[in-house]
């Protein structure tokens, strides 16, 4: 890449790194893995920078790369194990933090593809068509994965779902 392309990439990276990292965290539920996934997405973007003709497509390209990386990694057998660094006796005083923590923990339990759909639809604000494009699947698949993912979340959250509605 020439200097102008390197500057354009650096500018895009600075503007979007926090958003991409946050999306990665919501997809995988672990900040360390989120950093790895975000870095991988930006490395891939840097490699393909010249091929992307429409600058408006950069966000979609990075999002699609990120989602695919998280879903692919979740299929690896060693990623099925769940570890936790918090004890069950820890009490949260801030209702917002507790609500967010509960939601993120519940999202970790949802299958990777459904989690990706829920994050893209409800936390990233994409519509069905945008989510389908990011995941490389049909709109019908997005709708069914959304339905199954929401049902899974309701099953996981149970009574705490009412507490979350009251807090929000």
């Amino acid at each position: 890449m020439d200097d102008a392309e390197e500057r354009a990439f650096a500018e895009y990276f600075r503007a979007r790194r926090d958003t991409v990292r946050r999306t990665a965290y919501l997809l995988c539920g672990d900040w360390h893995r989120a950093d790895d996934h975000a870095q991988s997405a930006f490395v891939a973007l840097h490699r393909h920078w010249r091929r992307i003709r429409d600058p408006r497509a950069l966000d979609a390209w990075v999002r699609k790369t990120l989602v695919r990386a998280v879903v692919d990694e979740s299929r690896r057998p060693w990623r099925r194990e769940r570890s936790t660094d918090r004890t069950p006796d820890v009490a949260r005083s801030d209702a917002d933090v507790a609500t967010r923590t509960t939601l993120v923990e519940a999202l970790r339990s949802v299958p990777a593809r459904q989690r990706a759909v829920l994050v893209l639809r409800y936390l990233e604000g994409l519509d069905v068509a945008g989510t389908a494009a990011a995941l490389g699947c049909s709109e019908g698949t997005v709708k069914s994965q959304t339905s199954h993912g929401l049902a899974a979340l309701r099953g996981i959250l149970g009574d705490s779902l009412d507490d979350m509605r009251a807090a929000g």
Side-chain angles (χ1 to χ4, degrees):
M1 280 199 289
D2 63 20
D3 288 342
E5 290 172 325
E6 284 290 344
R7 281 192 300 277
F9 174 81
E11 183 179 314
Y12 178 79
F13 173 77
R14 277 191 299 278
R16 302 300 295 158
R17 68 178 166 214
D18 291 336
T19 302
V20 171
R21 182 176 180 255
R22 190 171 33 254
T23 300
Y25 173 74
L26 291 169
L27 289 167
C28 71
D30 178 88
W31 283 111
H32 297 290
R33 286 178 35 222
D35 288 335
D36 291 344
H37 291 306
Q39 181 179 357
S40 295
F42 281 116
V43 166
L45 176 63
H46 188 269
R47 255 191 340 263
H48 295 95
W49 186 258
R50 286 185 170 177
R51 291 188 207 165
I52 302 172
R53 291 186 174 91
D54 185 0
R56 296 172 300 187
L58 289 172
D59 288 342
W61 195 95
V62 170
R63 188 181 304 115
K64 188 173 191 173
T65 303
L66 181 66
V67 169
R68 285 182 175 172
V70 172
V71 170
D72 287 348
E73 184 196 33
S74 71
R75 293 177 177 153
R76 296 183 179 133
W78 62 86
R79 289 293 179 200
R80 293 188 189 125
E81 296 179 13
R82 301 275 185 224
S83 62
T84 181
D85 58 348
R86 79 174 185 90
T87 59
D89 300 332
V90 174
R92 306 273 184 188
S93 59
D94 185 7
D96 290 338
V97 172
T99 300
R100 184 177 192 87
T101 301
T102 302
L103 180 59
V104 169
E105 287 175 5
L107 275 171
R108 286 183 190 156
S109 301
V110 174
R113 189 78 165 178
Q114 293 171 12
R115 181 173 55 246
V117 169
L118 294 175
V119 168
L120 293 175
R121 291 283 323 277
Y122 298 108
L123 300 172
E124 286 290 311
L126 294 181
D127 60 5
V128 173
T131 302
L135 294 174
C137 64
S138 71
E139 291 183 18
T141 300
V142 170
K143 291 175 185 178
S144 68
Q145 291 292 302
T146 300
S147 175
H148 293 302
L150 289 173
L153 267 181
R154 285 184 195 103
I156 293 164
L157 292 172
D159 293 336
S160 62
L161 185 60
D162 293 330
D163 296 338
M164 291 175 76
R165 285 185 182 134

